Amino acid sequence: MLEHSDNRQAIHSLDALSGALFDLMQEDSFEKITITQICQTAQISRRTFYRHCSRKLDLVDYLIQNHIRELLDSVDFTCTDAALLYRNFFQYWKDHSALLTTLFRHHLFSHFSQTFTKCCTQWMKDSLMLDMLENRTNQDSLRLFYNSFLIGGLCHVLEPWTAENFKTSVHDLTYVLVTLAPKT
């Protein structure tokens, strides 16, 4: 997984390269796209590519991580309104459905799930809605299990939603998840 960089030149290069890969994926299969094609489309040298990446899948990671970072930056982690959190989550991905659709079409959704899980686990050390864990001696373990359940569940809802081309409304998805959520 690529680490986030504050280096403006690195960000510019990675943005250009990942954008080029995304554009090429609209026309050709991920497997057939070469690093040379990506570099030519991005107008970036192969040397620059290899300065930042070891494989083209690193650019997929970069795309996914940027979206996840943007999504998580918009989350109020003190919010306890599950319906609002779910609605915002699904609306974000509906608004950015092109990424999910492209990854799904190229059989990269399991990679999305792995990257999503890693990124969210790092960001959610102090998780949402964990008042129920107060006064427990094993809070850290319980937090890990809760976060795994939440992240895995959300991620696994995205895949069939993408497969159905986002036909189920954000409202209906939110309703189902709030209805299924355990009551404390």
Side-chain angles (χ1 to χ4, degrees), residues 83-146:
L84 177 64
L85 292 166
Y86 289 139
R87 185 171 37 256
N88 290 344
F89 175 83
F90 289 114
Q91 189 60 56
Y92 177 87
W93 288 113
K94 186 166 187 165
D95 292 345
H96 298 89
S97 61
L99 175 67
L100 295 180
T101 301
T102 299
L103 295 174
F104 185 81
R105 192 173 65 246
H106 289 275
H107 309 288
L108 292 169
F109 214 90
S110 64
H111 189 74
F112 170 83
S113 296
Q114 291 169 355
T115 304
F116 181 86
T117 299
K118 285 178 190 174
C119 288
C120 290
T121 300
Q122 290 171 357
W123 276 71
M124 291 178 61
K125 290 192 172 58
D126 296 320
S127 186
L128 312 168
M129 303 173 288
L130 287 177
D131 294 341
M132 68 192 118
L133 300 182
E134 283 186 30
N135 303 321
R136 296 282 214 184
T137 57
N138 57 346
Q139 270 187 343
D140 290 339
S141 293
L142 294 175
R143 181 174 285 118
L144 171 68
F145 296 132
Y146 179 83

Side-chain angles (χ1 to χ4, degrees), residues 154-174:
L154 288 172
C155 195
H156 281 52
V157 168
L158 286 177
E159 187 170 9
W161 193 41
T162 302
E164 70 160 23
N165 201 25
F166 309 94
K167 289 180 184 166
T168 301
S169 72
V170 168
H171 174 78
D172 287 346
L173 282 175
T174 300

Side-chain angles (χ1 to χ4, degrees), residues 18-58:
S18 62
L21 174 61
F22 185 80
D23 291 345
L24 290 167
M25 288 171 70
Q26 306 313 307
E27 303 165 13
D28 211 346
S29 72
F30 179 76
E31 294 80 22
K32 290 182 182 178
I33 297 169
T34 66
I35 291 170
T36 299
Q37 286 176 291
I38 296 167
C39 292
Q40 287 173 345
T41 302
Q43 298 180 349
I44 301 277
S45 72
R46 285 177 59 90
R47 185 175 176 183
T48 299
F49 174 91
Y50 285 111
R51 185 177 310 131
H52 302 293
C53 305
S54 59
R55 60 198 178 135
K56 62 186 175 183
L57 201 53
D58 290 342

